[in-house]
Amino acid sequence: MTVMPCLAAQPTSTNMPLHRLLRPVADGYPASMDALLQFLLRMAFWLRKRPSRDHALVIAIVVVVAAFCVGFEAMFGWPQWLTLERTPRTLLMRP
């Protein structure tokens, strides 16, 4: 009886863990990765190495502020003074 070796136990060419290979580079993630895969990889990384308490607090504050803004807009609507008005595209004629 032969036992198939685990795929994860196979050595990689660089001998680096997968999350190190897929870390963001200077110009972002590789072009072939879609947004959902990036999000899932980030969440998997966070499960293995949890953020510090301060980092988690900042994330929680940002989420609460964003939820407050969305709820405020849902209850009271978008304020008129925050609405941008399009200006017509005209050429300025100088004398």
Side-chain angles (χ1 to χ4, degrees), residues 11-92:
T12 61
S13 61
T14 60
N15 292 327
M16 290 181 64
L18 181 64
H19 73 278
R20 292 280 184 217
L21 291 172
L22 297 177
R23 293 286 296 180
V25 291
D27 58 342
Y29 286 96
S32 62
M33 295 180 73
D34 63 338
L36 179 61
L37 183 59
Q38 291 175 15
F39 177 75
L40 291 176
L41 284 172
R42 174 70 56 168
M43 293 301 107
F45 181 71
W46 276 13
L47 283 175
R48 290 183 181 96
K49 184 179 184 289
R50 299 189 186 239
S52 67
R53 180 171 294 191
D54 293 338
H55 192 166
L57 183 63
V58 168
I59 292 170
I61 289 172
V62 168
V63 168
V64 167
V65 168
F68 174 77
C69 291
V70 169
F72 185 83
E73 184 197 352
M75 289 179 70
F76 301 110
W78 188 256
Q80 183 65 30
W81 59 272
L82 278 177
T83 303
L84 296 176
E85 296 179 14
R86 289 186 67 110
T87 56
R89 294 181 125 187
T90 58
L91 294 174
L92 296 175

